[in-house]
Amino acid sequence: MATHIIEHIFDPWHTIAEHQSKTSCHKQFGATATFIGTMRDFNDSADVSAMTLEHYPAMTQHYLDKLIDEANTKWDLLDTLIVHRIGEIKPTEPIMLIACWSAHRRASLDACSWLIEELKHRAPFWKKETTPNGERWVEKNTNGL
Amino acid sequence: MTIHVKFFASLKDKLKIDDTTIEQAKTAGEAWDITTHNTERPDNVLVAINLEYAQFEDAIKAGDEVAFFPPVTGG
């Protein structure tokens, strides 16, 4: 398992491939589920030209580790990777990545879905958007639909 | 020993407090009152004590880190 909080743009597909090439479970996994969050150029009825992600470093790291530990108690996972950006992000850039590896599909699919929802509600990150009317803090998550 | 108090995101901007210390407080709510000079607490403010979500009435002690922040919006 690994968690990375990074300040630079990254290629999620390359990151997944690189992590997978080094995982100790490379002969056991039969399923990989991934979620990649990407920045949109709109939100809440406004154009968004940039976004800045702030976080509470020690608590964020603690909660990402905790979420992976909890996922491991719920599902039979072989490996898990979470990458999350902080700092300034532009539209089309990836914000975050979750990847789960398991022997069979259900564990990785369910764990990946659970992890993104829990991360959005528990990991202390905050988004500030740049719109034509200035900067504004995102006050709540979308419902995901 | 002091209590470390942190504020994040919109709360930090609004209150113009980032990081401060206080000598003592019995609860997280009292730490809010002391550091914000009794500013009325918005309904959606969350609190963490030593990196774990907590309640405003939870006890704190010297050496603890208390953080106040709005609902999280990562991912």
Side-chain angles (χ1 to χ4, degrees):
Chain A
M1 68 169 242
T3 60
H4 303 290
I5 297 167
I6 58 174
E7 289 189 65
H8 52 80
I9 190 168
F10 74 109
D11 177 343
W13 308 110
H14 176 75
T15 305
I16 293 166
E18 189 178 28
H19 184 89
Q20 185 172 291
S21 72
K22 293 174 185 167
T23 186
S24 58
C25 69
H26 65 286
K27 290 185 179 173
Q28 286 88 49
F29 73 82
T32 309
T34 63
F35 174 85
I36 295 166
T38 303
M39 190 190 156
R40 298 184 300 268
D41 67 356
F42 68 95
N43 190 37
D44 204 12
S45 308
D47 293 334
V48 180
S49 59
M51 185 166 75
T52 304
L53 264 157
E54 180 179 320
H55 76 315
Y56 179 3
M59 187 169 169
T60 306
Q61 188 62 59
H62 174 60
Y63 263 81
L64 295 186
D65 292 343
K66 186 172 175 149
L67 291 177
I68 290 181
D69 287 346
E70 288 180 25
N72 277 308
T73 66
K74 290 171 179 287
W75 294 279
D76 197 5
L77 298 173
L78 294 168
D79 202 354
T80 306
L81 170 66
I82 299 178
V83 180
H84 205 297
R85 296 268 305 274
I86 54 168
E88 187 171 288
I89 302 175
K90 299 285 188 186
T92 75
E93 291 181 5
I95 302 169
M96 57 92 63
L97 152 71
I98 296 174
C100 298
W101 287 264
S102 58
H104 304 286
R105 65 188 180 279
R106 186 47 57 196
S108 53
L109 283 167
D110 289 353
C112 191
S113 177
W114 181 86
L115 279 166
I116 178 57
E117 295 304 325
E118 293 297 312
L119 183 152
K120 287 185 82 75
H121 291 93
R122 294 163 68 189
F125 293 98
W126 300 275
K127 291 171 178 155
K128 184 190 265 184
E129 297 173 333
T130 304
T131 75
N133 295 321
E135 292 188 326
R136 66 180 187 185
W137 287 100
V138 176
E139 292 180 356
K140 60 180 181 181
N141 289 316
T142 63
N143 62 12
L145 301 177
Chain B
M1 288 284 273
T2 54
I3 295 164
H4 299 267
V5 186
K6 294 172 180 279
F7 295 82
F8 290 94
S10 57
L11 213 48
K12 178 177 70 178
D13 287 357
K14 194 172 172 182
L15 297 167
K16 302 190 187 332
I17 316 171
D18 179 356
D19 196 329
T20 188
T21 58
I22 53 176
E23 289 304 315
Q24 59 177 16
K26 290 192 177 102
T27 64
E30 197 177 316
W32 168 277
D33 291 339
I34 294 168
T35 52
T36 68
H37 306 291
N38 295 308
T39 300
E40 188 175 349
R41 205 168 62 218
D43 290 340
N44 63 354
V45 174
L46 301 173
V47 58
I49 301 173
N50 298 331
L51 313 181
E52 294 289 353
Y53 285 98
Q55 303 297 318
F56 284 88
E57 59 272 24
D58 287 348
I60 55 175
K61 61 185 185 310
D64 282 351
E65 179 170 294
V66 182
F68 300 107
F69 46 81
V72 302
T73 56

